[in-house]
Amino acid sequence: MCLAIPAQLVELLPGEQAIVNLGGIRKTISIALIETVEVGDYVIVHVGHAIGKIDPEEAARTLAMFGELAEADNDRVSPSTKAAA
Amino acid sequence: MKYIDEFRDGDIARKISARLAEEVQPERQYSFMEFCGGHTHAISRYGIAGMLPPNVRMVHGPGCPVCVLPIGRIDLAIKLALEFGVIVCTYGDTMRVPASNSLSLVKAKARGGDIRMVYSAADALEVARQNPEREVVFFAIGFETTTPPTALAIRDAQRAQLKNFSVLCCHVLTPSAITHILESPEVRQYGTVPIDGFVGPAHVSIVIGSQPYEHFSDEYRKPVVIAGFEPLDVMQAVLMLVRQVNEGRAEVENEFSRVVSRGGNLQAQALVSEIFELRTTFEWRGLGEVPYSALKIRPSYAQFDAECRFDLSYQPVADNKACECGAILRGVKKPTDCKIFGTVCTPENPVGSCMVSSEGACAAHYSYGRFRDIPVVVESI
Amino acid sequence: MSPVKKAYIRPLDIRHGCIDMGHGAGGRSAAQLIEELFLAAFDNEFLRQGNDGAVFAPPPLPAGARLVMATDGHVVSPLFFPGGDVGCLSVHGTVNDVAMSGAKPLYLTASFILEEGYPLADLKRIVDSMALAAREAGVPVITGDTKVVERGKGDGVFISTTGLGVVAPGVDIAGSNARPGDVVLLSGTIGEHGVAVLSQRESLEFETTIQSDTCALHTLVAAMLLAAPGDVRVLRDPTRGGLATTLNEVARQSRAGMMLEESAIPVLPEVDAACELLGLDPLYIANEGKLIAICAPEAADAVLAAMRAHPQGRAAARIGVVTEDAHHFVQMNTRFGGRRVVDWLSGEQLPRIC
């Protein structure tokens, strides 16, 4: 459930609002539900509200995990990320 | 689109698929429940089922807020519109869910109910501002992801001292539903629903974090992999679950670490607990009464609670006898096990809620996967 | 010095005036509305006849030629959207319906249902846009009608148009003509019209540069038929319900299946993004300036080349094939590598949260 998409924050507006850009679409959303954000951050937007912020390093790590899998076709590695405590 | 397209890469998908085929132990069956409708939708829309080894079965879970909404709750919203003359604002998803007396919100609208589709709880608040002479009720559905925006609307309504806005709160909680499934006799005693692990919620977990699932791995010895809703996320999660099963582990792993932390979104959690409190029990379609599985508005915000404001009392309504939505939501049956699937019950005339939302197991199978039931020889261009 | 005052009539106050019930009552003010607003815009010899109907000589019809009539009601909210309005839409929609039979459109008729209180300035914008569209398409509006409904009983302006066209001998286009092995062609990117309209809907508003693709497709059709006479079997414009629904209609009519390639279907990145945002699927979004063609496999390259040589078909693509399938499924190989059904649209495409 819960349709939500990553979009880049491009402008902060008064009243805990902001404009996000998603592939050329600009939409005003609320950022009242998340802590500090800056222009340039990618946020996850659900029903017109940012509910979380994307950690670019973690995203890169997940993609690298797919990538490793692509390279390590023969030697078995298990790069499972344990939920960070 | 950054953070979307990379996670839909077909070349990587084929590699994960090959890796899965290599790592599954051919003699055993793997059965994983994807709790969320978002995962169900991704599996169907991208054709993932056909890319998994034949001995990996995905069981669709109850994580579709539309599907688990009991008839009696829709009846309340319809009553507000038709009997109380209230403006009912709602997400598009609920519009076609069947209610009592062959009604639905769409049909109630055709009968003169002032029912308006909104994109956000904040839009419902705006409708209230623009119609000060009318009562406006926001019919709020959804899991933990959707609850904070509703909480925000109630907070803002109070700050603005709006007198004509209230919320019919139907927000439900994920962990209690998973507990309920794990405690069910089908899973615990009979083993009719073998569940070797869960693909854990994506966006729900952004809000609540990964910590609430630790209980399942500790207490029930079931692995949980929290995964995003993009198709590569789902395939990777299945691979991680297969590895846990093979290695005899039962841990909470987080494939969706790019947004989900252990603690979740504390700011949203604080707002939700300021406005809402636990209901002692709530009826879920398919699961029945589930203790402490939903939220209600705290007494200090009672003026914004439509149930108090209009003195509504909930009347449970039995599902259509032939409809198997209940068993399907618990993972006991597949859509094709239902006699009325695709005959009486279709997306045009849904009998049960699983046929309404595109995330529902029945609608997803009907709309995307029913060719699998009938082998057809096709040539590709 | 003239004994009679110059006009004895006060012209319509287009800038500030509104439609009132009198404009539909058939009296002087109705006549004035027609004269100063409609006739001024659409002006042609048939309308100038001033009769209830247009009298015209049929075009010379070679043996085997047939006539086509198509009619269409146009209701759109909002009435003005990026890239167009209900006026030009009502011309393009009907011209395209006629053209999808493989016909050359000749004439249009138009019927307006106006709501009391609707501003004349907006009506003039719509009518002017409609007249321009008709002129550009070379298909005049030769007769029409205007009615007024009370305030609250209409949504501003409803327009019904009917088109008349002629199909050349040897051209046989119908939804039931697709055969297994035939090739499915699409004239360009999908979803722009629906997304442009949605972007203006109250409470959904988002900023976008996406414009409706609304346009008249008859010259594209003519170019395609010229390239492969007799080998184009089906033509359809995927309007409401989008590409998915149109292909399902054809599959059912032809008692066949289809297999599409998702990666071959052109979609603008912005349309994709808007669909992500609203939880919609571009395959189900309305188009007003695109067509699908199903043609014999040996003619596919020629038809595709003719499409790509036409300004309205630059992004044309081969998107799939017709298959033998007793269940008439439209299936698709996903870009991701899986396979799925592409079903009919059920109900209305509603923005969703889950």
Side-chain angles (χ1 to χ4, degrees):
Chain A
M1 79 143 249
C2 317
L3 192 87
I5 36 140
Q8 190 175 31
L9 218 138
V10 292
E11 194 179 334
L12 293 169
L13 301 174
E16 299 185 303
Q17 303 273 302
I19 296 176
V20 288
N21 184 326
L22 172 73
I25 302 284
R26 286 161 59 92
K27 174 138 184 87
T28 303
I29 62 155
S30 161
I31 49 168
L33 294 171
I34 46 172
E35 284 173 351
T36 52
V37 277
E38 290 169 25
V39 166
D41 286 348
Y42 277 81
V43 291
I44 301 279
V45 182
H46 174 63
V47 296
H49 295 74
I51 56 164
K53 193 162 90 176
I54 289 193
D55 178 337
E57 285 175 19
E58 283 294 334
R61 203 167 299 158
T62 305
L63 283 170
M65 181 163 79
F66 299 155
E68 269 173 53
L69 187 104
E71 282 159 25
D73 266 335
N74 295 316
D75 64 284
R76 189 164 302 186
V77 282
S78 169
S80 46
T81 43
K82 182 114 189 253
Chain B
M1 289 169 279
K2 197 168 162 61
Y3 299 122
I4 297 179
D5 298 333
E6 309 92 291
F7 293 89
R8 293 180 187 173
D9 186 324
D11 290 337
I12 296 178
R14 276 179 279 281
K15 282 171 180 147
I16 300 181
S17 176
R19 178 48 62 99
L20 262 167
E22 198 182 305
E23 293 195 21
V24 287
Q25 297 166 357
E27 69 285 358
R28 71 179 301 164
Q29 291 292 318
Y30 299 82
S31 185
F32 302 122
M33 175 176 274
E34 89 274 5
F35 180 82
C36 282
H39 291 127
T40 307
H41 187 80
I43 289 170
S44 310
R45 176 166 175 183
Y46 296 95
I48 292 175
M51 302 167 79
L52 299 178
N55 55 336
V56 173
R57 181 189 158 204
M58 300 306 291
V59 179
H60 308 315
C64 160
V66 173
C67 306
V68 298
L69 197 62
I71 293 174
R73 287 265 146 195
I74 317 257
D75 286 352
L76 288 182
I78 291 175
K79 183 175 179 172
L80 284 169
L82 293 184
E83 289 177 28
F84 291 84
V86 157
I87 300 176
V88 173
C89 295
T90 180
Y91 293 126
D93 309 58
T94 63
M95 294 296 278
R96 295 172 52 239
V97 185
S100 299
N101 306 318
S102 307
L103 278 176
S104 63
L105 286 166
V106 161
K107 289 177 184 161
K109 181 169 182 269
R111 291 194 187 185
D114 194 342
I115 295 164
R116 305 185 188 181
M117 200 187 69
V118 292
Y119 176 69
S120 158
D123 297 334
L125 207 58
E126 193 50 40
V127 171
R129 283 200 190 96
Q130 286 167 3
N131 295 275
E133 74 296 349
R134 301 276 305 275
E135 283 285 337
V136 175
V137 174
F138 177 55
F139 182 31
I141 63 148
F143 283 95
E144 290 90 336
T145 327
T146 319
T147 311
T150 307
L152 197 62
I154 293 175
R155 187 203 71 182
D156 289 348
Q158 195 201 37
R159 283 186 182 173
Q161 297 188 330
L162 272 186
K163 302 283 182 228
N164 62 330
F165 177 77
S166 57
V167 170
L168 177 57
C169 177
C170 303
H171 286 300
V172 286
L173 302 171
T174 308
S176 34
I178 297 182
T179 307
H180 193 77
I181 289 168
L182 286 169
E183 289 284 349
S184 74
E186 289 96 351
V187 175
R188 284 223 118 169
Q189 301 162 18
Y190 313 144
T192 42
V193 183
I195 293 179
D196 299 313
F198 288 92
V199 178
H203 299 142
V204 160
S205 306
I206 295 175
V207 175
I208 67 172
S210 65
Q211 193 268 337
Y213 309 102
E214 289 169 10
H215 168 70
F216 304 113
S217 56
D218 294 347
E219 178 129 331
Y220 298 94
R221 301 291 306 149
K222 298 289 184 195
V224 177
V225 175
I226 295 161
F229 284 147
E230 296 303 336
L232 280 185
D233 292 323
V234 179
M235 295 199 62
Q236 176 68 19
V238 173
L239 181 62
M240 290 163 77
L241 282 169
V242 164
R243 286 176 177 164
Q244 285 208 40
V245 171
N246 288 352
E247 293 162 20
R249 290 184 288 126
E251 296 167 5
V252 177
E253 292 182 309
N254 183 5
E255 187 277 339
F256 201 32
S257 58
R258 58 189 186 273
V259 229
V260 173
S261 62
R262 183 168 183 268
N265 180 341
L266 300 176
Q267 187 158 326
Q269 289 170 20
L271 181 66
V272 167
S273 62
E274 184 196 328
I275 310 283
F276 297 104
E277 62 186 23
L278 279 175
R279 287 183 196 259
T280 50
T281 181
F282 190 79
E283 190 195 354
W284 290 52
R285 202 162 188 177
L287 305 184
E289 291 285 337
V290 181
Y292 302 105
S293 65
L295 298 172
K296 67 176 179 190
I297 297 166
R298 284 189 186 276
S300 48
Y301 290 90
Q303 56 170 314
F304 301 106
D305 186 346
E307 287 174 72
C308 300
R309 200 178 178 107
F310 299 96
D311 198 19
L312 299 175
S313 59
Y314 178 71
Q315 295 295 325
V317 180
D319 282 325
N320 184 309
K321 279 204 187 73
C323 172
E324 297 277 15
C325 275
I328 291 165
L329 285 168
R330 292 196 305 277
V332 180
K333 292 198 172 171
K334 289 181 290 199
T336 44
D337 295 332
C338 177
K339 278 200 190 72
I340 58 173
F341 173 81
T343 53
V344 176
C345 183
T346 62
E348 281 66 41
N349 277 299
V351 175
S353 50
C354 296
M355 193 56 105
V356 176
S357 165
S358 62
E359 295 202 339
C362 294
H365 184 69
Y366 188 95
S367 302
Y368 296 123
R370 68 184 190 278
F371 70 90
R372 274 179 225 295
D373 306 339
I374 313 142
V376 175
V377 182
V378 284
E379 276 171 37
S380 185
I381 53 170
Chain C
M1 174 176 114
S2 161
V4 180
K5 257 178 112 173
K6 199 171 156 215
Y8 272 114
I9 193 158
R10 188 180 152 162
L12 273 181
D13 182 0
I14 286 180
R15 203 190 276 175
H16 303 106
C18 287
I19 289 292
D20 60 49
M21 294 310 288
H23 289 122
R28 188 172 283 136
S29 77
Q32 187 184 16
L33 181 75
I34 289 166
E35 178 94 20
E36 294 181 29
L37 212 143
F38 293 103
L39 203 57
F42 293 119
D43 184 51
N44 59 50
E45 54 178 310
F46 307 101
L47 286 174
R48 259 177 264 132
Q49 294 167 0
N51 298 321
D52 284 349
V55 179
F56 60 92
L61 292 179
R66 285 141 302 150
L67 294 174
V68 178
M69 279 186 88
T71 190
D72 209 348
H74 299 272
V75 297
V76 59
S77 175
L79 292 167
F80 297 91
F81 47 82
D85 54 72
V86 69
C88 62
L89 193 66
S90 72
V91 169
H92 297 150
T94 297
V95 165
N96 291 347
D97 282 352
V98 171
M100 293 310 130
S101 301
K104 173 183 162 43
L106 300 173
Y107 300 116
L108 289 171
T109 76
S111 159
F112 294 82
I113 310 284
L114 308 174
E115 185 182 4
E116 182 186 19
Y118 193 73
L120 287 178
D122 287 346
L123 179 61
K124 181 168 162 37
R125 273 175 72 196
I126 290 170
V127 171
D128 285 347
S129 153
M130 196 172 167
L132 178 66
R135 211 161 287 135
E136 282 176 349
V139 187
V141 175
I142 60 170
T143 184
D145 182 53
T146 305
K147 293 283 185 305
V148 178
V149 293
E150 281 171 45
R151 198 184 181 97
K153 293 190 173 170
D155 195 10
V157 178
F158 299 143
I159 305 176
S160 290
T161 45
T162 296
L164 180 73
V166 58
V167 191
V171 174
D172 175 23
I173 310 272
S176 53
N177 286 352
R179 298 175 210 164
D182 282 358
V183 173
V184 184
L185 304 172
L186 171 66
S187 70
T189 51
I190 55 166
E192 285 108 282
H193 176 74
V195 167
V197 171
L198 274 179
S199 74
Q200 304 296 304
R201 286 267 165 90
E202 200 185 346
S203 98
L204 281 182
E205 295 112 331
F206 50 86
E207 287 174 50
T208 168
T209 53
I210 300 170
Q211 304 251 320
S212 166
D213 59 349
T214 181
C215 67
L217 293 165
H218 57 304
T219 60
L220 175 62
V221 169
M224 292 163 65
L225 294 177
L226 194 67
D231 282 330
V232 178
R233 305 208 224 267
V234 182
L235 288 169
R236 277 288 157 86
D237 54 340
T239 54
R240 280 171 307 170
L243 181 67
T245 302
T246 302
L247 292 178
N248 273 283
E249 283 166 7
V250 174
R252 187 171 70 177
Q253 277 183 277
S254 291
R255 312 185 67 75
M258 286 186 204
M259 180 53 90
L260 310 178
E261 291 299 323
E262 185 175 27
S263 57
I265 300 173
V267 184
L268 292 178
E270 280 204 27
V271 169
D272 252 339
C275 287
E276 288 291 334
L277 190 75
L278 301 171
L280 303 176
D281 186 338
L283 292 173
Y284 294 91
I285 307 267
N287 309 280
E288 292 291 348
K290 296 293 156 23
L291 61 81
I292 62 123
I294 294 179
C295 59
E298 60 275 14
D301 286 340
V303 178
L304 190 60
M307 290 166 89
R308 286 183 175 159
H310 191 280
Q312 288 164 345
R314 273 193 213 111
R318 177 194 292 249
I319 61 164
V321 288
V322 178
T323 58
E324 207 160 319
D325 180 350
H327 296 91
H328 317 324
F329 285 144
V330 177
Q331 298 189 51
M332 182 164 81
N333 288 316
T334 69
R335 195 179 286 122
F336 192 66
R339 201 198 318 156
R340 58 174 259 205
V341 170
V342 176
D343 207 3
W344 296 77
L345 172 66
S346 15
E348 209 185 332
Q349 258 296 58
L350 298 176
R352 58 189 187 94
I353 63 152
C354 61

